[in-house]
Short mmCIF file of all heavy atoms in Angstrom, two decimals:
data_model
loop_
_atom_site.label_atom_id
_atom_site.label_comp_id
_atom_site.label_asym_id
_atom_site.label_seq_id
_atom_site.Cartn_x
_atom_site.Cartn_y
_atom_site.Cartn_z
N GLY A 457 13.69 -15.25 -9.40
CA GLY A 457 13.30 -14.63 -10.65
C GLY A 457 14.40 -14.69 -11.70
O GLY A 457 14.16 -15.02 -12.86
N MET A 460 14.98 -18.23 -12.99
CA MET A 460 13.85 -18.66 -13.86
C MET A 460 14.02 -18.07 -15.27
O MET A 460 13.65 -18.71 -16.26
CB MET A 460 12.54 -18.21 -13.25
CG MET A 460 11.32 -18.84 -13.94
SD MET A 460 11.31 -20.66 -13.92
CE MET A 460 11.07 -20.97 -12.16
N PRO A 470 9.45 -13.65 -22.66
CA PRO A 470 9.87 -12.44 -21.96
C PRO A 470 10.21 -12.68 -20.52
O PRO A 470 9.66 -13.61 -19.87
CB PRO A 470 8.65 -11.51 -22.13
CG PRO A 470 7.50 -12.40 -22.38
CD PRO A 470 8.07 -13.59 -23.13
N ALA A 471 11.09 -11.87 -19.96
CA ALA A 471 11.52 -12.05 -18.59
C ALA A 471 10.39 -11.93 -17.59
O ALA A 471 10.37 -12.59 -16.54
CB ALA A 471 12.63 -11.04 -18.26
N VAL A 472 9.42 -11.05 -17.90
CA VAL A 472 8.32 -10.84 -16.95
C VAL A 472 7.55 -12.13 -16.70
O VAL A 472 7.08 -12.41 -15.59
CB VAL A 472 7.37 -9.72 -17.45
CG1 VAL A 472 6.69 -10.11 -18.76
CG2 VAL A 472 6.32 -9.41 -16.41
N THR A 473 7.42 -12.97 -17.71
CA THR A 473 6.74 -14.27 -17.54
C THR A 473 7.53 -15.14 -16.58
O THR A 473 6.95 -15.80 -15.71
CB THR A 473 6.58 -14.97 -18.89
OG1 THR A 473 5.92 -14.10 -19.81
CG2 THR A 473 5.78 -16.24 -18.75
N ALA A 474 8.85 -15.15 -16.75
CA ALA A 474 9.68 -15.95 -15.86
C ALA A 474 9.59 -15.46 -14.42
O ALA A 474 9.52 -16.25 -13.48
CB ALA A 474 11.13 -15.91 -16.34
N TYR A 475 9.57 -14.13 -14.24
CA TYR A 475 9.45 -13.57 -12.88
C TYR A 475 8.12 -13.99 -12.23
O TYR A 475 8.09 -14.35 -11.05
CB TYR A 475 9.55 -12.05 -12.94
CG TYR A 475 10.89 -11.52 -13.38
CD1 TYR A 475 10.99 -10.37 -14.14
CD2 TYR A 475 12.08 -12.18 -13.02
CE1 TYR A 475 12.23 -9.87 -14.54
CE2 TYR A 475 13.31 -11.69 -13.39
CZ TYR A 475 13.37 -10.53 -14.18
OH TYR A 475 14.60 -10.05 -14.56
N LEU A 476 7.04 -13.90 -12.99
CA LEU A 476 5.73 -14.25 -12.43
C LEU A 476 5.67 -15.72 -12.03
O LEU A 476 5.17 -16.07 -10.98
CB LEU A 476 4.65 -13.91 -13.45
CG LEU A 476 4.32 -12.43 -13.63
CD1 LEU A 476 3.43 -12.23 -14.86
CD2 LEU A 476 3.64 -11.85 -12.42
N ILE A 477 6.17 -16.58 -12.92
CA ILE A 477 6.16 -18.02 -12.62
C ILE A 477 7.08 -18.33 -11.43
O ILE A 477 6.73 -19.18 -10.58
CB ILE A 477 6.55 -18.82 -13.88
CG1 ILE A 477 5.48 -18.66 -14.93
CG2 ILE A 477 6.75 -20.30 -13.51
CD1 ILE A 477 5.79 -19.39 -16.21
N ALA A 478 8.20 -17.62 -11.35
CA ALA A 478 9.09 -17.83 -10.19
C ALA A 478 8.36 -17.44 -8.91
O ALA A 478 8.48 -18.12 -7.88
CB ALA A 478 10.36 -16.97 -10.38
N GLY A 479 7.58 -16.35 -8.96
CA GLY A 479 6.83 -15.93 -7.82
C GLY A 479 5.78 -16.96 -7.39
O GLY A 479 5.59 -17.24 -6.21
N VAL A 480 5.12 -17.56 -8.39
CA VAL A 480 4.12 -18.61 -8.11
C VAL A 480 4.82 -19.80 -7.42
O VAL A 480 4.31 -20.37 -6.44
CB VAL A 480 3.42 -19.06 -9.40
CG1 VAL A 480 2.56 -20.30 -9.13
CG2 VAL A 480 2.58 -17.96 -9.98
N LEU A 481 5.99 -20.19 -7.93
CA LEU A 481 6.70 -21.37 -7.39
C LEU A 481 7.16 -21.16 -5.99
O LEU A 481 7.15 -22.09 -5.18
CB LEU A 481 7.87 -21.72 -8.33
CG LEU A 481 7.50 -22.25 -9.70
CD1 LEU A 481 8.77 -22.50 -10.51
CD2 LEU A 481 6.69 -23.52 -9.59
N ILE A 482 7.65 -19.95 -5.63
CA ILE A 482 8.13 -19.73 -4.26
C ILE A 482 7.03 -19.16 -3.37
O ILE A 482 7.29 -18.84 -2.20
CB ILE A 482 9.35 -18.78 -4.26
CG1 ILE A 482 8.93 -17.35 -4.69
CG2 ILE A 482 10.48 -19.33 -5.11
CD1 ILE A 482 10.04 -16.33 -4.53
N ALA A 738 12.00 -6.49 -11.19
CA ALA A 738 12.04 -7.97 -11.07
C ALA A 738 11.38 -8.42 -9.78
O ALA A 738 10.56 -9.34 -9.78
CB ALA A 738 13.48 -8.45 -11.13
N PHE A 740 9.17 -6.74 -8.11
CA PHE A 740 7.74 -6.41 -8.23
C PHE A 740 6.97 -7.54 -8.89
O PHE A 740 5.93 -8.00 -8.42
CB PHE A 740 7.61 -5.12 -9.03
CG PHE A 740 6.20 -4.76 -9.39
CD1 PHE A 740 5.24 -4.56 -8.41
CD2 PHE A 740 5.81 -4.62 -10.74
CE1 PHE A 740 3.93 -4.22 -8.76
CE2 PHE A 740 4.52 -4.30 -11.08
CZ PHE A 740 3.57 -4.07 -10.08
N PHE A 741 7.51 -8.06 -10.00
CA PHE A 741 6.84 -9.14 -10.71
C PHE A 741 6.83 -10.45 -9.93
O PHE A 741 5.86 -11.19 -9.88
CB PHE A 741 7.47 -9.35 -12.09
CG PHE A 741 7.22 -8.22 -13.04
CD1 PHE A 741 8.30 -7.58 -13.67
CD2 PHE A 741 5.95 -7.78 -13.29
CE1 PHE A 741 8.07 -6.54 -14.56
CE2 PHE A 741 5.72 -6.72 -14.20
CZ PHE A 741 6.78 -6.11 -14.81
N VAL A 742 7.96 -10.75 -9.28
CA VAL A 742 8.04 -11.99 -8.48
C VAL A 742 7.06 -11.95 -7.29
O VAL A 742 6.34 -12.90 -7.03
CB VAL A 742 9.47 -12.22 -7.96
CG1 VAL A 742 9.52 -13.43 -7.01
CG2 VAL A 742 10.42 -12.48 -9.12
N ILE A 743 7.00 -10.81 -6.62
CA ILE A 743 6.08 -10.66 -5.48
C ILE A 743 4.64 -10.76 -5.97
O ILE A 743 3.78 -11.37 -5.34
CB ILE A 743 6.33 -9.30 -4.76
CG1 ILE A 743 7.70 -9.33 -4.10
CG2 ILE A 743 5.24 -9.04 -3.72
CD1 ILE A 743 8.14 -7.97 -3.58
N SER A 744 4.36 -10.17 -7.14
CA SER A 744 3.00 -10.25 -7.69
C SER A 744 2.62 -11.72 -7.98
O SER A 744 1.51 -12.13 -7.75
CB SER A 744 2.93 -9.43 -8.98
OG SER A 744 3.16 -8.06 -8.74
N GLY A 745 3.58 -12.47 -8.50
CA GLY A 745 3.32 -13.89 -8.76
C GLY A 745 3.11 -14.69 -7.48
O GLY A 745 2.25 -15.56 -7.39
N ALA A 746 3.87 -14.32 -6.41
CA ALA A 746 3.74 -15.00 -5.12
C ALA A 746 2.36 -14.76 -4.49
O ALA A 746 1.85 -15.61 -3.75
CB ALA A 746 4.84 -14.56 -4.18
N LEU A 748 -0.40 -14.64 -6.02
CA LEU A 748 -1.42 -15.32 -6.80
C LEU A 748 -1.96 -16.52 -6.00
O LEU A 748 -1.22 -17.42 -5.64
CB LEU A 748 -0.88 -15.83 -8.12
CG LEU A 748 -1.83 -16.65 -9.02
CD1 LEU A 748 -3.04 -15.82 -9.41
CD2 LEU A 748 -1.08 -17.15 -10.23
N GLN A 801 0.21 -7.52 -22.01
CA GLN A 801 -0.21 -6.79 -20.81
C GLN A 801 0.64 -7.25 -19.67
O GLN A 801 0.81 -8.44 -19.44
CB GLN A 801 -1.68 -7.04 -20.54
CG GLN A 801 -2.24 -6.16 -19.43
CD GLN A 801 -3.74 -6.36 -19.23
OE1 GLN A 801 -4.23 -7.46 -19.21
NE2 GLN A 801 -4.47 -5.25 -19.08
N ALA A 802 1.22 -6.27 -18.93
CA ALA A 802 2.08 -6.66 -17.80
C ALA A 802 2.16 -5.57 -16.75
O ALA A 802 1.25 -5.39 -15.97
CB ALA A 802 3.46 -7.06 -18.30
N LEU A 806 -0.42 -4.79 -13.67
CA LEU A 806 -0.13 -5.34 -12.34
C LEU A 806 -0.10 -4.21 -11.32
O LEU A 806 -0.50 -4.39 -10.16
CB LEU A 806 1.21 -6.06 -12.37
CG LEU A 806 1.26 -7.37 -13.17
CD1 LEU A 806 2.65 -7.94 -13.22
CD2 LEU A 806 0.29 -8.39 -12.58
N THR A 826 -6.27 -10.65 -13.09
CA THR A 826 -5.30 -9.87 -13.82
C THR A 826 -3.99 -10.64 -13.99
O THR A 826 -3.41 -10.67 -15.09
CB THR A 826 -5.01 -8.55 -13.11
OG1 THR A 826 -6.25 -7.83 -12.91
CG2 THR A 826 -4.06 -7.68 -13.88
N LEU A 827 -3.53 -11.29 -12.92
CA LEU A 827 -2.30 -12.07 -13.03
C LEU A 827 -2.46 -13.26 -13.98
O LEU A 827 -1.54 -13.59 -14.75
CB LEU A 827 -1.90 -12.57 -11.62
CG LEU A 827 -1.27 -11.52 -10.69
CD1 LEU A 827 -1.24 -12.05 -9.29
CD2 LEU A 827 0.10 -11.15 -11.17
N PHE A 828 -3.61 -13.89 -13.93
CA PHE A 828 -3.89 -14.98 -14.85
C PHE A 828 -3.83 -14.50 -16.31
O PHE A 828 -3.21 -15.14 -17.17
CB PHE A 828 -5.27 -15.58 -14.51
CG PHE A 828 -5.73 -16.64 -15.48
CD1 PHE A 828 -5.14 -17.88 -15.52
CD2 PHE A 828 -6.77 -16.39 -16.37
CE1 PHE A 828 -5.57 -18.87 -16.40
CE2 PHE A 828 -7.22 -17.36 -17.25
CZ PHE A 828 -6.60 -18.60 -17.28
N ALA A 829 -4.46 -13.37 -16.53
CA ALA A 829 -4.46 -12.80 -17.88
C ALA A 829 -3.05 -12.37 -18.32
O ALA A 829 -2.67 -12.58 -19.47
CB ALA A 829 -5.39 -11.57 -17.94
N VAL A 830 -2.27 -11.79 -17.39
CA VAL A 830 -0.92 -11.36 -17.71
C VAL A 830 -0.06 -12.57 -18.13
O VAL A 830 0.70 -12.49 -19.09
CB VAL A 830 -0.29 -10.63 -16.51
CG1 VAL A 830 1.21 -10.49 -16.70
CG2 VAL A 830 -0.90 -9.24 -16.38
N LEU A 831 -0.20 -13.67 -17.40
CA LEU A 831 0.57 -14.86 -17.76
C LEU A 831 0.22 -15.32 -19.18
O LEU A 831 1.11 -15.64 -19.95
CB LEU A 831 0.24 -16.00 -16.78
CG LEU A 831 0.96 -15.90 -15.41
CD1 LEU A 831 0.40 -16.93 -14.45
CD2 LEU A 831 2.47 -16.11 -15.58
N ILE A 832 -1.08 -15.34 -19.53
CA ILE A 832 -1.48 -15.77 -20.85
C ILE A 832 -0.99 -14.78 -21.91
O ILE A 832 -0.44 -15.18 -22.93
CB ILE A 832 -3.01 -15.91 -20.93
CG1 ILE A 832 -3.51 -16.95 -19.91
CG2 ILE A 832 -3.45 -16.29 -22.33
CD1 ILE A 832 -2.99 -18.34 -20.10
N GLU A 834 1.46 -12.60 -21.73
CA GLU A 834 2.92 -12.53 -21.85
C GLU A 834 3.49 -13.78 -22.49
O GLU A 834 4.59 -13.74 -23.05
CB GLU A 834 3.55 -12.27 -20.49
CG GLU A 834 3.34 -10.86 -19.98
CD GLU A 834 3.93 -9.84 -20.94
OE1 GLU A 834 5.17 -9.68 -20.97
OE2 GLU A 834 3.15 -9.19 -21.66
#
Side-chain angles (χ1 to χ4, degrees):
M460 190 59 68
V472 63
T473 305
Y475 293 144
L476 286 169
I477 294 179
V480 172
L481 292 178
I482 67 172
F740 171 60
F741 291 126
V742 174
I743 293 169
S744 297
L748 176 62
Q801 187 176 44
L806 292 175
T826 304
L827 285 167
F828 175 70
V830 165
L831 281 170
I832 300 300
E834 286 302 284

